[in-house]
Amino acid sequence: MSMIDIVKAKARSDVKSIVLPEGDEVRTVEAASILMKEGLARPVLLGDPVKIRETAEGIPCDIEGIEIIDPATSPKLSQYAELLYELRKAKGVTREKADELVRDPMYFGIMMVKTGDSDGLVSGAVHTTGDMLRPALQIIKTKPEMKIVSSSFLMDCPNKDIGENGLLVYADCVVMPDPTAEELAYIAVAAADTARKLCGFDEPRVAMLSFSSKGSAKHALVDKVTSATRIAKEIAPDLLVDGEMQFDCAIVPEIGKSKAPGSPVAGRANVLIFPDLQAGNIGYKITQRIGGADCFAVLQGLNRPCNDLSRGCSVEDIVNTVAMTAVQAQG
Ligand code: ACO
């Protein structure tokens, strides 16, 4: 079974409600229909019900039984606005501004997740990553044990000899442009957690990537990665984490043995932590486009699951992301 099939089986075992704020967007409507039909989630579409039904007829697809909520006329507006005001008044949000914000489907959806009216949220077919992330960061916030929100990409590679039967977890490829050493350590710990809970890795083996392996080069950029490795070991003493090391040292057994002898991770890493967002984002796209890997992104560290889509996403991408969000919501 592929990684995504395993995730879908888990999603079906305990069905969660996932809100889709871009409810009248054509790919989103079709994805909701598939999610409902395949029992992967209870999708909730936000938007004008007339427009959503017209979109479904135009595809055509069946959205019978799918909950549709129009934020503009919802009886929850005032409750959500009051809560949003309380949460953000210290940041300058007035009650009037809160009233206005909750009419925006993105904020309305985030408030549904915040209050437990929905188990998770998926958006980004229309909105940019920043527009989707900001309300989630401001309102849902991080888990108590996590200092930051970041992301993992689950890379399902054709070469089954690497990682965990071809599966690798890359982090962070979406959120933190230039993490400090401490933030990088938290990214590593969060990615190991994602590897365990979403990918089913019994033993995450985390490599902290650099252009240097175990002191082969001296530079401030390398120092950041060695510090992050030390901090990650302090935060999670039982985690198998090692660095700094080059990409080949992390995943090729012979190179791992020669460049980092005795390392519990080198040569057999299944979780790869990139030193910054430029490296991570470029790295996952190379693996996808040249390496032929299928890739699936999730946010990690948020107090409740919310996930971002690429604006170029397909219907299948939305279905997969909702299934992963539903599994994250299972805890
Ligand atoms: N974790 C937790 N909280 C955070 C984080 C984080 N990583 N980043 C920001 N915050 C919080 C801030 O503390 C702030 O909280 P507050 O308002 O309660 O004080 C709130 O979020 C907003 O912070 P800002 O500084 O206003 O937000 P910023 O403008 O920095 O935006 C964002 C944050 C959107 C995550 C930004 O860092 C960003 O744009 N990252 C890159 C996104 C991107 O474009 N990725 C690549 C494309 S995606 C792809 O290719 C798949």
Side-chain angles (χ1 to χ4, degrees):
M1 246 205 258
S2 71
M3 196 282 301
I4 199 65
D5 288 335
I6 294 169
V7 166
K8 284 180 174 175
K10 273 192 205 165
R12 277 189 200 98
S13 70
D14 177 14
V15 177
K16 296 291 177 187
S17 101
I18 305 294
V19 60
L20 304 168
E22 295 158 333
D24 57 14
E25 192 276 326
V26 64
R27 291 162 296 174
T28 305
V29 174
E30 190 172 349
S33 162
I34 295 168
L35 287 160
M36 190 74 176
K37 195 167 69 193
E38 296 190 3
L40 294 166
R42 282 191 309 282
V44 179
L45 294 169
L46 299 188
D48 175 356
V50 174
K51 200 169 166 201
I52 292 172
R53 289 201 185 94
E54 277 172 11
T55 306
E57 277 163 25
I59 293 172
C61 71
D62 180 10
I63 56 166
E64 187 62 37
I66 293 179
E67 189 178 3
I68 299 174
I69 298 176
D70 187 353
T73 58
S74 165
K76 292 270 183 173
L77 270 180
S78 131
Q79 180 201 334
Y80 288 172
E82 184 57 32
L83 178 58
L84 178 60
Y85 167 64
E86 285 302 323
L87 292 169
R88 299 299 295 169
K89 64 184 175 191
K91 295 284 171 179
V93 174
T94 60
R95 180 58 216 249
E96 292 69 35
K97 184 69 184 168
D99 278 336
E100 183 194 318
L101 283 175
V102 287
R103 284 165 198 277
D104 176 334
M106 181 61 74
Y107 275 87
F108 189 94
I110 291 286
M111 295 312 294
M112 284 182 72
V113 177
K114 179 73 181 178
T115 55
D117 286 341
S118 180
D119 298 314
L121 173 146
V122 171
S123 182
V126 180
H127 291 80
T128 64
T129 298
D131 288 344
M132 183 271 151
L133 270 174
R134 237 171 252 111
L137 296 172
Q138 291 169 349
I139 294 162
I140 305 287
K141 299 272 180 198
T142 52
K143 287 181 180 163
E145 70 277 16
M146 270 292 146
K147 288 217 168 144
I148 50 150
V149 172
S150 60
S151 72
S152 274
F153 263 82
L154 320 182
M155 310 297 303
D156 203 347
C157 305
N159 179 353
K160 300 301 173 199
D161 294 334
I162 54 168
E164 205 71 17
N165 193 27
L167 194 60
L168 292 165
V169 174
Y170 283 13
D172 166 26
C173 309
V174 177
V175 185
M176 297 287 295
D178 190 12
T180 62
E182 189 192 28
E183 288 167 343
L184 198 54
Y186 275 98
I187 291 170
V189 173
D193 193 50
T194 297
R196 240 182 249 112
K197 294 189 179 150
L198 200 55
C199 309
F201 290 9
D202 292 332
E203 183 187 72
R205 296 180 293 278
V206 183
M208 306 295 284
L209 298 180
S210 171
F211 59 84
S212 164
S213 293
K214 296 285 180 181
S216 65
K218 307 272 177 236
H219 194 281
L221 292 173
V222 177
D223 294 342
K224 179 175 102 168
V225 180
T226 51
S227 299
T229 310
R230 178 179 48 74
I231 298 166
K233 285 177 181 164
E234 286 165 13
I235 302 169
D238 297 334
L239 183 63
L240 288 182
V241 50
D242 201 9
E244 87 295 350
M245 66 181 75
Q246 290 156 290
F247 189 89
D248 54 355
C249 175
I251 64 161
V252 182
E254 311 79 67
I255 300 179
K257 272 193 202 111
S258 82
K259 289 190 174 180
S263 167
V265 166
R268 51 197 289 271
N270 51 22
V271 179
L272 302 176
I273 307 303
F274 291 82
D276 66 25
L277 188 54
Q278 304 224 47
N281 195 273
I282 294 166
Y284 103 74
K285 285 177 195 274
I286 292 174
T287 310
Q288 177 188 32
R289 301 288 169 184
I290 299 181
D294 288 330
C295 58
F296 311 92
V298 286
L299 294 176
Q300 55 198 16
L302 272 173
N303 213 3
R304 288 171 185 267
C306 298
N307 280 309
D308 182 38
L309 299 160
S310 151
R311 277 170 294 163
C313 66
S314 63
V315 171
E316 191 187 359
D317 293 331
I318 302 176
V319 169
N320 292 341
T321 304
V322 170
M324 291 192 293
T325 310
V327 172
Q328 286 180 309
Q330 291 171 355

